[in-house]
Amino acid sequence: MFLAISASLCLGHPLALAGAQRPNSAAERYEPVVDELRKMQPQGERVASIRNVTLRRDVIEFHLEDGQLFLATPVAGRTLGAIFVGHGSVSFAPPIAIERRELKRVLGDSVLNARISTAAFLFTDSTLAELGRQLTFGGGGVADRASGVLSDALDHLVDGRHVVQPTLITALLNGDSDGFFYAHVKREHGEDLMFVVDPADAEQVAVLRRGREGEKIQVVSEFRRAEDLNDTTTVEPARRAALKLNAYRIEATIAGGLGFSATATTRLTAQRAGVHWARLDLLAELDVDSVREEGGRAVSFFRPSKTSELWVRFDPAPRVGDTLALRVAYHGDLIGYTSITQGIARQWPGWVKGQLPPAPDRWLYVKTSYSWFPRYGQQTADVDLTFHTPKRYHLASIGRLVDSHIDGSAVTSHWVTARPADQVCFSIGEVDEFKINDPRIPPVTVHMNGEAHRQLDKFFLALRDQLGASNAFVSGFLSERSPEQDVGADVANSLAFFTRIYGPPLFDRYYAAEIPFDYGQAFPGLIYLPVWTFQAMSDSGYDEILRAHEMAHQWWGIGIEPASYRDRWLAEGFAEFSGLWYMQIVLGDNEKFFKHLKHWRRELRGRRNDAPPIGIGWRAEQLNVRDSRLTTYYKGAWVLHMLRNLMLNLRTMQEDAFIATMRDFYGQYRGRRASTRDFQRVVERHLKTDMKWFFDEWVDGTAIPTYVLSWHAEPTQGGQAGHYTLHVRVRQEDAPKEFTMPVPLKITFVDTTMHALVRLGVTGPLTEATLDLPAEPKRLELNPLESVLAEVREEGWE
Ligand SMILES: [Zn+2]
């Protein structure tokens, strides 16, 4: 990032500002810093007239034509705010195509050029020094309008004592000048926008606005700085962090009454000097008893209320290369307790009329899979876990079980990860344990709450008596089958299938644990499966997809981790496709396979091409929470299905090329992070051609084309006897002019059962082709194998 200020003649001494700044030093306490930030005010006695000053941040340009610039009251002894009041503009165009389209989708134009009336700038970069060189600050300002925009800016930045921009508060606490820049802008027309340069982000430049549905902010646009744009290497999260995370050691006790207490030791190495303050995350419901360094010295800490933040202060700050071990003792309500029948009764009281079974089902669950111990960022670490748990519960954890023994009424189990992990969790409950020993796969242990299912059966039987035996919904929950066998079979078979197709998974034993919710989740060597996949068994193939999806994460998401949020489909889309593929193979049912694909296409088409692109990852759900599933999962699965079809040998119907590609990608990145670009490179190597167009269209683009097919055929003039000349025309709708895709075309003939399958390159609004056929064609079918995410219509030849 660079900053250019071009100012008109300014009177007065440019050094008027010097001396106002104390040398920065780390704050002693958290609260006064946040309180000063929250109460920041424009100062009527530190105001400058401003004419034609241009502030440039990467591609964002603020042009301050004329008006006044107020400096704000200092925070932690430094001036970090300036407020502009007057006439000006802000403009930018995102440097990458996907962000230009996204800006158009969200704000209505692919570039922004807006008149502004006020703007509040907050910074820990060189802004103040640069302004100080150009302007002269004195008294005489009326700060009313400046107060308004500053207070709106702070409203979005500070929530109680939680600061929404972590890089800003970290810089203030540490007395750092780390290059953070933030502008809250009031446009003359339209909502306020915020512009951010955050050096802690891989994509440092962002434009935000007020979030929907209670969220403070929403990302409108985000991208790398100009100088980083061409860098496509995958950056480990540890690279930019002030502290490198090495290891977690957690010793946790779950008491008979489910009270949770633990000590967690976090081992960190300083990568930067002057890091007094560091932020960890710990579930807000967990109370910290003490924080100490390994030698026993107390470390001061602060937790903003109602947040998961845990700020710790090192004194002295570690030197670069120093390793710290931070020991946090904490306790609280981590283990939840629930009953599904009682939950249903609460939700639909009319249904059950108080006819609850005598003993409700009993379930334990872990309230968060993320911050149940003090976490430092998203880095991976070696994890060593010891659990002391009541004997009547079964526990499943990530890591390898290295020891387990009984002390009286408690079991102590010790688990150690074989490779660094960032998805760290366990499950606990009064469950039945089934072990699967199948020569094709590593050992698998299934934990199922058998007693709860017996209670649920009683409940649904009672409900059926009440609602009538013909009630299909209730009957769906009264399976005759034994769920542990169905679930166990899918767990084992999908593990075997993916091992055969993709290559060996990372771990040498697996757990599948039932949870009392309607979603699944995957951790290294451990998957959560929802209660309903054990209770209700649909015939649609849905349950096979769901179980195999969670297992597939051992390859996609854990075996290979997405490099950034934009690559999340490499986990979810790949897992969804893998689940679908497994279902097709295990049920031997192509009809169900296509039914799911078509259902996903219908959902995608339902959004009339305004569904967000896969390539914005989680940001898809900012406008519509369902869009994440729609694009990352469904469209992601479709993209792999399209590649599978592109690589399909239409003569032999062999899919060796696709399998080899997937296997190669997995083998190359196993145990590492990968990006969409990395995957593209592997695909290109196997197809021996540039595939940028494919990823641009389907991952970064949003179009779902409609093909309108027409044709006619005539005996070939002067050619071989019996030959026909076929004229094919495809009109393409709902897609950009340059949109291109090879689409299979099936030709059946008069007087023969033979058919031909060819690929037709469909490009742009009109594609015409002429084919010489050995017989008279009877029927043409475009996209017969659902090879392309598209709609097909036919029209008469004119
Ligand atoms: Zn998933």
Side-chain angles (χ1 to χ4, degrees):
M1 165 222 17
F2 71 100
L3 171 70
I5 297 187
S6 57
S8 63
L9 269 181
C10 57
L11 302 170
H13 198 275
L15 294 177
L17 215 66
Q21 293 290 89
R22 275 196 288 144
N24 298 329
S25 59
E28 294 290 325
R29 289 172 54 229
Y30 178 97
E31 306 96 295
V33 175
V34 176
D35 291 347
E36 279 179 358
L37 178 66
R38 200 173 46 189
K39 292 176 185 151
M40 231 162 65
Q41 286 289 334
Q43 303 177 90
E45 65 281 10
R46 293 183 76 194
V47 57
S49 290
I50 194 165
R51 267 188 84 78
N52 289 327
V53 169
T54 300
L55 275 173
R56 212 180 143 81
R57 284 292 179 280
D58 196 72
V59 295
I60 301 163
E61 192 169 285
F62 302 92
H63 187 58
L64 312 178
E65 290 161 17
D66 71 279
Q68 290 184 304
L69 192 80
F70 295 81
L71 295 182
T73 47
V75 177
R78 66 205 272 200
T79 297
L80 60 103
I83 306 101
F84 168 73
V85 177
H87 299 96
S89 64
V90 60
S91 60
F92 87 104
I96 52 175
I98 184 173
E99 289 299 327
R100 284 192 291 276
R101 283 193 299 267
E102 190 59 10
L103 192 65
K104 188 169 170 61
R105 192 176 76 89
V106 177
L107 289 188
D109 202 342
S110 57
V111 297
L112 180 87
N113 195 345
R115 299 292 305 163
I116 64 173
S117 55
T118 52
F121 301 103
L122 284 95
F123 36 77
T124 61
D125 66 356
S126 57
T127 302
L128 183 68
E130 308 263 347
L131 288 171
R133 253 177 258 137
Q134 307 290 330
L135 303 172
T136 305
F137 291 88
V142 181
D144 290 2
R145 280 173 70 205
S147 300
V149 67
L150 180 59
S151 116
D152 281 0
L154 294 171
D155 242 21
H156 280 88
L157 273 172
V158 191
D159 184 5
R161 280 188 175 140
H162 161 64
V163 177
V164 175
Q165 298 287 339
T167 308
L168 173 63
I169 182 64
T170 308
L172 293 178
L173 290 167
N174 282 327
D176 257 356
S177 297
D178 62 355
F180 180 86
F181 175 87
Y182 185 96
H184 184 113
V185 164
K186 289 205 173 292
R187 295 189 284 169
E188 286 181 5
H189 305 285
E191 67 201 310
D192 295 3
L193 293 176
M194 293 83 98
F195 300 82
V196 190
V197 177
D198 186 342
D201 275 347
E203 301 191 9
Q204 297 196 8
V205 189
V207 180
L208 318 174
R209 66 173 177 181
R210 179 189 296 278
R212 304 290 180 263
E213 291 164 13
E215 293 290 316
K216 278 266 169 194
I217 52 166
Q218 183 183 103
V219 179
V220 170
S221 186
E222 190 171 52
F223 39 86
R224 291 176 181 230
R225 299 180 307 168
E227 54 266 52
D228 301 336
L229 268 182
N230 295 321
D231 179 8
T232 60
T233 52
T234 294
V235 178
E236 292 294 325
R239 271 257 301 271
R240 267 181 311 275
L243 303 168
K244 183 182 182 323
L245 176 65
N246 306 313
Y248 292 118
R249 194 175 70 240
I250 302 159
E251 178 153 7
T253 302
I254 294 165
L258 297 182
F260 175 88
S261 58
T263 54
T265 306
T266 307
R267 202 168 285 277
L268 301 152
T269 304
Q271 305 195 114
R272 225 179 278 153
V275 182
H276 278 277
W277 288 87
R279 181 189 136 179
L280 296 101
D281 280 295
L282 182 67
L283 182 71
E285 286 93 322
L286 293 172
D287 293 325
V288 174
D289 303 315
S290 67
V291 183
R292 294 184 177 279
E293 282 183 37
E294 202 165 37
R297 193 147 61 124
V299 172
S300 58
F301 64 93
F302 181 76
R303 303 199 77 194
S305 62
K306 297 194 203 97
T307 75
S308 65
E309 291 177 19
L310 166 62
W311 289 90
V312 294
R313 187 179 194 281
F314 306 116
D315 193 15
R319 288 164 307 180
V320 176
D322 278 359
T323 290
L324 304 156
L326 201 61
R327 190 177 151 90
V328 181
Y330 62 105
H331 72 275
D333 281 340
L334 177 68
I335 307 300
Y337 179 86
T338 190
S339 155
I340 287 165
T341 49
Q342 289 182 333
I344 294 175
R346 266 196 305 276
Q347 209 169 346
W348 293 290
W351 254 27
V352 286
K353 294 184 186 152
Q355 288 198 15
L356 286 176
D361 52 316
R362 293 152 45 87
W363 299 84
L364 307 189
Y365 62 95
V366 184
K367 285 183 179 169
T368 172
S369 59
Y370 181 73
S371 55
W372 64 274
F373 60 96
R375 291 194 65 131
Y376 181 72
Q378 310 268 347
Q379 303 176 43
T380 58
D382 295 325
V383 188
D384 180 303
L385 298 147
T386 302
F387 295 98
H388 307 284
T389 50
K391 220 161 52 178
R392 66 175 181 279
Y393 299 132
H394 279 292
L395 183 117
S397 171
I398 70 151
R400 196 165 59 84
L401 180 63
V402 292
D403 181 45
S404 175
H405 61 267
I406 298 174
D407 301 318
S409 62
V411 178
T412 295
S413 59
H414 183 198
W415 312 71
V416 178
T417 53
R419 48 177 68 234
D422 56 2
Q423 298 166 72
V424 179
C425 202
F426 64 97
S427 84
I428 186 167
E430 233 165 325
V431 292
D432 301 335
E433 189 169 86
F434 303 92
K435 290 190 189 288
I436 301 172
N437 286 302
D438 179 326
R440 299 170 302 166
I441 54 169
V444 180
T445 305
V446 179
H447 283 174
M448 183 189 97
N449 193 336
E451 179 53 28
H453 285 287
R454 284 185 283 280
Q455 298 298 338
L456 283 170
D457 281 343
K458 279 189 206 159
F459 169 77
F460 283 109
L461 274 170
L463 197 58
R464 190 173 65 178
D465 289 346
Q466 205 173 308
L467 298 176
S470 60
N471 188 295
F473 179 76
V474 176
S475 304
F477 292 107
L478 288 164
S479 168
E480 302 290 306
R481 287 170 276 207
S482 43
E484 71 281 4
Q485 280 171 19
D486 278 346
V487 176
D490 281 329
V491 166
N493 289 330
S494 61
L495 187 54
F497 175 64
F498 299 140
T499 302
R500 186 161 60 78
I501 293 286
Y502 300 138
L506 288 180
F507 304 100
D508 54 12
R509 62 100 201 117
Y510 288 84
Y511 282 92
E514 183 178 21
I515 57 165
F517 301 107
D518 59 3
Y519 62 87
Q521 198 173 351
F523 306 94
L526 164 68
I527 61 175
Y528 282 177
L529 290 172
V531 51
W532 301 118
T533 205
F534 288 81
Q535 179 71 30
M537 177 70 184
S538 94
D539 288 331
S540 66
Y542 174 84
D543 283 291
E544 286 80 2
I545 296 176
L546 183 148
R547 297 165 189 162
H549 171 117
E550 294 311 331
M551 186 49 87
H553 277 313
Q554 298 301 329
W555 284 261
W556 314 119
I558 291 163
I560 296 179
E561 282 198 54
S564 81
Y565 74 87
R566 293 183 187 273
D567 310 303
R568 205 175 133 221
W569 75 287
L570 299 182
E572 297 301 349
F574 277 45
E576 194 73 357
F577 170 80
S578 301
L580 182 69
W581 194 7
Y582 167 77
M583 186 274 283
Q584 182 187 24
I585 301 293
V586 79
L587 298 183
D589 193 328
N590 285 342
E591 201 179 309
K592 281 181 183 148
F593 175 84
F594 285 118
K595 211 169 155 183
H596 282 274
L597 272 179
K598 286 175 185 172
H599 167 65
W600 297 345
R601 179 177 62 202
R602 217 167 27 248
E603 299 260 307
L604 283 157
R605 289 282 298 192
R607 295 295 307 279
R608 301 302 314 165
N609 286 350
D610 79 333
I614 292 172
I616 60 163
W618 66 265
R619 283 165 53 198
E621 66 200 38
Q622 293 185 125
L623 291 181
N624 182 340
V625 283
R626 293 195 59 242
D627 278 357
S628 176
R629 180 155 286 273
L630 200 62
T631 58
T632 310
Y633 289 65
Y634 295 169
K635 195 178 174 192
W638 255 105
V639 171
L640 269 194
H641 170 73
M642 287 193 280
L643 270 178
R644 181 190 183 190
N645 274 267
L646 263 177
M647 295 182 163
L648 184 68
N649 183 327
L650 291 186
R651 210 165 38 77
T652 63
M653 298 309 261
Q654 292 287 319
E655 46 191 2
D656 306 9
F658 176 66
I659 292 171
T661 304
M662 296 301 283
R663 219 184 150 77
D664 192 8
F665 177 53
Y666 177 71
Q668 197 176 334
Y669 291 94
R670 183 177 183 265
R672 293 161 54 202
R673 287 170 190 271
S675 68
T676 303
R677 272 294 267 280
D678 295 327
F679 179 57
Q680 182 186 327
R681 280 191 274 261
V682 174
V683 171
E684 287 173 341
R685 204 164 57 240
H686 283 259
L687 279 172
K688 298 185 179 63
T689 181
D690 182 354
M691 291 296 284
K692 183 173 184 297
W693 61 273
F694 178 87
F695 289 89
D696 282 354
E697 286 176 0
W698 296 110
V699 178
D700 284 357
T702 57
I704 298 169
T706 298
Y707 300 131
V708 188
L709 170 73
S710 56
W711 62 278
H712 85 126
E714 67 221 357
T716 305
Q717 299 292 314
Q720 252 178 295
H723 274 228
Y724 275 75
T725 302
L726 171 68
H727 302 276
V728 182
R729 182 184 296 154
V730 178
R731 292 197 298 107
Q732 177 171 269
E733 298 173 353
D734 305 326
K737 277 201 296 291
E738 62 284 2
F739 201 91
T740 184
M741 190 70 189
V743 189
L745 176 71
K746 185 178 175 183
I747 305 164
T748 46
F749 299 96
V750 176
D751 297 333
T752 167
T753 54
M754 289 209 319
H755 69 263
L757 205 51
V758 295
R759 283 196 178 89
L760 189 68
V762 177
T763 302
L766 184 68
T767 301
E768 290 184 307
T770 304
L771 281 86
D772 181 47
L773 302 180
E776 182 181 359
K778 182 168 69 180
R779 187 160 177 261
L780 260 62
E781 203 186 337
L782 190 65
N783 204 20
L785 304 169
E786 304 293 345
S787 305
V788 181
L789 174 55
E791 293 283 344
V792 177
R793 292 203 317 264
E794 292 185 26
E795 64 183 5
W797 182 271
E798 281 171 28

